[in-house]
Amino acid sequence: MERQQAQDFIGDILELPRAGELQVLLEGQQRLGTRFSGCAISQNALRQQVRLTLSARLEQKKTSLTLNSIDDREQIAQAIERAFATCRHLPDDEELMPAPGEVIAQAEHTRRGAAEAISIDTAGRWVAQACAAGAAADIDLAGLLATGNNFTAYGDSAGGFAHERHDRVDYHVTASGDTGSGWAEHQGIEISRDSLMTATRRAIDKCLAAQSPRVFEPRATTVVLEPQAVGDLLAMTAWYGLDQRARDEGRSAFSRFDQRLGRLSLYSDPAHPAFPARNFSNDGEAVGRGTWLDHGELQQLITSRYWARQQDLPAKPWPTNLVLDGDGTPLEELIGDVDDGILVTRFWYIRATDPGTLGFTGMTRDGTFRIEQGRVTHPVVDMRWNESVLNLLQNVSGSGTPVATGERFPLVMPPLRVERFNFSSLSQSPPSIG
Amino acid sequence: MYELLRQACDTARAAGCSFADARYLEIDEQTLASRDHALAHNNESRDRGIGVRVLYRGAWGFASAPGYEPAAVDGAVALALDIARASAYAPRADGVGWADEAPWQAEFHSDYARDPFALPLAEKADLLLAANEVMLHNPAVKRAQGYLAFRRVRRWYVNSEGSELHSDVTSSSAMLWAVAVGDSDFQQRSWQAPSVTRGFEAFDRAQFVAEAERIAAEAEEKLTAALAPEGTFDIVTDSENLSLTIHESVGHATELDRVMGYEVSMAGGSFVDRDKLDRFRYGSEQVTLMADNTLRHGLATHGFDDDGVPGQRWPIVEDGILRGYSTGREFAHYIDQQRSRGSCRADHWSSIPIVRIPNLFLMPGKQPLSPDELIGDIEHGLYFEGMDSFSIDQWRLNFQFGGNAVWEIRNGRKTRMLKAALYQSSTPDFWNACDATCDERFWRAHGVTNCGKGDPMQVAQMTHGAAPTRFRGIRICRGRD
Ligand SMILES: [Zn+2]
């Protein structure tokens, strides 16, 4: 839905009878997911959805109703009436804030690139070409090409309105051989056949290099982490550690920690060209640039409007992407300075082991290699690691150029070199498929 | 209600599809979340739509549309066909195997005594707010939270083979959390209420209040608990803790689509290759793991799956030996089975059915054995309760799990609480180290409500269960230096 059409639609809803303040969120999604395994398309699905969420507030009481049909005005009117009736039965929530009533300008950058042009037929042809490249190399390929055209619109009875279209492309591919695998991705808002094939070849090359891994006895060592690994870990960190109120109330790793965390900056910027993201929240707040670590110094973290009022701070809504800057050192140079260490392509299944110290565990997968005397020498069997992000950020000894990553949450991350990274146990050489 | 679905399948057949099915779903949900003394969130949602799946010249197509209008159904069939034609650019060399299934006309209704959607909001909110009140009564607790979710899925399913199936399943789940804050630490303790295909009668206010008081006290105790020792110890897992270990190390590992590489790019593969069937020693003789999609109140009990196959009960591991996999109709032939196990489900009308973990549980011990007796045989060990940190590799071998509360066992007795304890093992090593599980008096079920699989990810629910169980000589490490 375009901006004007969304504005008219939401405007009409706001004209309906209502007993108090109303917020309207309209989300539309159209997504084609072409999934492949064994060098063949195994699932291919189109999802088309629209969701309308009506949030009613009566003084310090609020409730919401979600519908997935938007054509029936009578049903919408009844839903609004029901939501306000429900409100009366709720206890007061003193933290409830009024609707922002902000008019948020359309983002400057357009997201309408190649993603919109990829038809069902094109997606099938491109994936078939990738599969053929795998078959030619006698490598088993599996992955997903997903292209989505989405929109989100918000309006409230305090005069607020925002609208945005957001295209999304997610291509990732795993190449599996008899004794090792390789992985690559292309994330962002657009993709070409060339970039899809480049990622495919990267996965195949990585797979070929990953065969016959040797055991590296798990221990603390220098690692070079590729962008996916860095992003996977920092996204978890954001979830556990970036809330200002939790920090102020003693419920965060940062409540009792005020040392400098290395020299890099961690920030969010919906207008970042490598991976632009939504510039308003589902609650109608503008999401601007937010800096969480400024050259390693902790800044004011994510702050709800309620907490901002209590603490007399500016509000900082939840970010819609996450960016770690880097020094721009080429990956080969990051590796070149390592006498003895490990190159990690991808992390997997990261979970917190101790939120109090931002301790996490996870696995390596799909291409893990030994570095000796500045060169990648051979693949190694995957390992589990246990590491605190507080230690990790303090132990960064080099960084590259940030690139788009993140299948679920938009991330822009550089490769990092980290000293004394703690590998703790061994997995096994991959068993064969089937 | 079947009329439009039948037309969709007929249209697909007329267009040359060898198989087609169509589903219409009505999904109603209510979620409530409490924060301290307030209800911070209350949402009711109403979601209707269709999904059409076609197999055309050995290639799959799937399309979905909101609502249940003739034009939308026609449009979805046409799109599904277009999509199948695009899939045919990269067909499976050996085609799509599709297990036979009889045409069924059946209905399944989960039973409940108190319809959660018909109850006044105040009664539901009170359950959470009363629990929070009790938690906040403990001065160490600085944040109390609760969550309630009710879900009703009414499904009409038709396929081109003549099946017409209807199910109506209501499920309820709830959770409480207490966060305690001290001078030098903060700790969280949680309690998961039974997650079951039942109504509001599954919840008992007195139990919520009692559990709230207990987790608040234990959250406080965790603040000053000693760090866990590292090394090799005997451990006992309670039924909730082991439920998640069963889920991760057995449930996912024995999904046949994973074994065959269909999920390798995201959720991963499996070490349980087909050569292991009826041969591989998965665990000790104490270990019998049953799959059962007919389990009353089980979260994966829906009468039949989204391939149109009735729910079944079958062994995955029997007396320690691998005996079966979870399958769908596309996968049964890979293990030379004529029929699917009926374990293929979609999480929404817009999602493709995929092989899912069934209700899956460790059978209780045959000899009378109480938890006290189980612990009584351990000189120095750890007792793990509840779910916490859990991580496993993409082959389902190397895992590391924590507990929401962990106690030290000394000379056969549960003693002081420990923090940051994790047990790390490899799936077959772990299950072979099992030397006893308590008898059926101590067996409990636990629902998993957030199992992620597929790409894009789908979230499914299933029930696990176990009695307290002992494992010998397990590596313990810790999540904090
Ligand atoms: Zn799962």
Side-chain angles (χ1 to χ4, degrees), chain B residues 247-248 252 356-357 448 450-452:
Chain B
H247 179 93
E248 300 288 356
H252 282 306
R356 301 302 319 215
I357 299 178
V448 167
N450 57 351
C451 171

Side-chain angles (χ1 to χ4, degrees), chain A residues 35 41 44 47 63-64 66 68 75 82 121 125 172 349 351-352 354 365 384 386 425-427 434, chain B residues 42-44 46-48 89-90 248 259 263-264 266 274 351 389-391 393 398 400 455 480:
Chain A
R35 204 176 179 207
I41 294 175
N44 203 354
R47 172 176 286 185
T63 194
S64 65
T66 302
N68 83 320
Q75 189 189 42
R82 180 175 158 78
D121 190 72
R125 286 179 192 275
H172 52 264
Y349 222 128
R351 288 292 181 276
D354 182 38
R365 73 182 275 190
R384 173 172 299 288
N386 285 300
S425 60
L426 204 58
S427 185
Chain B
N42 174 48
N43 177 267
E44 291 175 47
R46 189 188 137 90
D47 189 4
R48 276 100 180 91
Y89 290 131
E248 300 288 356
V259 173
E263 297 287 330
V264 87
M266 182 54 73
R274 290 174 292 166
S351 300
S389 180
F390 54 98
S391 170
D393 72 23
N398 177 316
Q400 183 176 288
D455 198 4
R480 181 182 287 199

Side-chain angles (χ1 to χ4, degrees), chain B residues 24 206 277 316 359 378 385 478:
Chain B
Y24 168 60
L277 186 62
I316 298 286
N359 299 316
I378 294 177
E385 182 176 306
R478 59 184 184 226

Side-chain angles (χ1 to χ4, degrees), chain A residues 341-384:
Chain A
I342 297 292
L343 170 66
V344 174
T345 300
R346 186 183 183 193
F347 278 161
W348 164 248
Y349 222 128
I350 300 178
R351 288 292 181 276
T353 55
D354 182 38
T357 55
L358 287 181
F360 292 90
T361 189
M363 295 296 307
T364 64
R365 73 182 275 190
D366 298 327
T368 310
F369 301 91
R370 181 79 187 269
I371 306 170
E372 292 168 303
Q373 265 74 56
R375 285 192 318 115
V376 172
T377 53
H378 59 263
V380 298
V381 172
D382 284 310
M383 287 178 280
R384 173 172 299 288

Side-chain angles (χ1 to χ4, degrees), chain B residues 137-316:
Chain B
H137 202 68
N138 183 319
V141 173
K142 300 300 181 199
R143 171 52 62 89
Q145 283 175 284
Y147 177 78
L148 267 181
F150 306 103
R151 182 175 162 89
R152 173 166 296 150
V153 181
R154 281 181 291 237
R155 174 178 56 153
W156 288 264
Y157 172 93
V158 170
N159 68 24
S160 56
E161 298 158 341
S163 282
E164 293 184 344
L165 295 160
H166 173 58
S167 64
D168 184 343
V169 175
T170 299
S171 57
S172 305
S173 56
M175 187 112 179
L176 301 175
W177 295 267
V179 180
V181 177
D183 291 338
S184 59
D185 202 2
F186 69 97
Q187 289 289 337
Q188 173 264 108
R189 181 82 175 96
S190 63
W191 174 70
Q192 189 192 336
S195 296
V196 282
T197 50
R198 295 179 68 190
F200 201 71
E201 75 279 7
F203 303 142
D204 172 37
R205 192 179 188 277
Q207 187 189 18
F208 270 62
V209 166
E211 294 292 352
E213 191 168 356
R214 183 173 73 97
I215 64 172
E218 289 177 358
E220 182 184 11
E221 194 182 347
K222 264 174 101 170
L223 287 176
T224 51
L227 276 179
E230 293 190 285
T232 301
F233 296 90
D234 296 342
I235 70 166
V236 171
T237 56
D238 86 325
S239 55
E240 185 179 348
N241 183 276
L242 193 59
S243 285
L244 194 60
T245 306
I246 291 169
H247 179 93
E248 300 288 356
S249 69
V250 183
H252 282 306
T254 54
E255 293 166 333
L256 196 53
D257 59 341
R258 287 185 68 121
V259 173
M260 298 312 300
Y262 281 66
E263 297 287 330
V264 87
S265 72
M266 182 54 73
S270 171
F271 75 98
V272 192
D273 56 85
R274 290 174 292 166
D275 290 345
K276 291 187 165 66
L277 186 62
D278 292 325
R279 290 195 194 103
F280 180 63
R281 177 155 285 288
Y282 214 105
S284 69
E285 285 180 7
Q286 323 300 320
V287 177
T288 292
L289 290 142
M290 288 298 293
D292 188 357
N293 283 344
T294 67
L295 179 74
R296 191 173 177 221
H297 301 316
L299 290 172
T301 305
H302 298 265
F304 54 93
D305 73 353
D306 289 315
D307 279 350
V309 179
Q312 296 162 44
R313 177 183 164 97
W314 73 99
I316 298 286

Side-chain angles (χ1 to χ4, degrees), chain B residues 390-443:
Chain B
F390 54 98
S391 170
I392 188 164
D393 72 23
Q394 84 273 27
W395 305 102
R396 302 279 142 177
L397 277 166
N398 177 316
F399 66 66
Q400 183 176 288
F401 296 136
N404 192 247
V406 180
W407 285 268
E408 189 166 29
I409 298 168
R410 282 277 186 187
N411 304 316
R413 279 184 42 248
K414 225 169 114 180
T415 60
R416 62 178 182 162
M417 202 182 249
L418 298 171
K419 67 181 164 194
L422 301 159
Y423 58 94
Q424 190 277 318
S425 190
S426 179
T427 295
D429 294 349
F430 181 76
W431 287 105
N432 276 286
C434 172
D435 81 333
T437 185
C438 291
D439 67 68
E440 62 186 355
R441 289 171 297 165
F442 307 99
W443 191 93

Side-chain angles (χ1 to χ4, degrees), chain A residues 55 71 93 141 150 205 306 382 388 420:
Chain A
S55 300
D71 302 330
D93 178 2
L141 288 190
N150 311 308
D205 289 347
Y306 167 77
D382 284 310
S388 153
R420 297 179 298 282

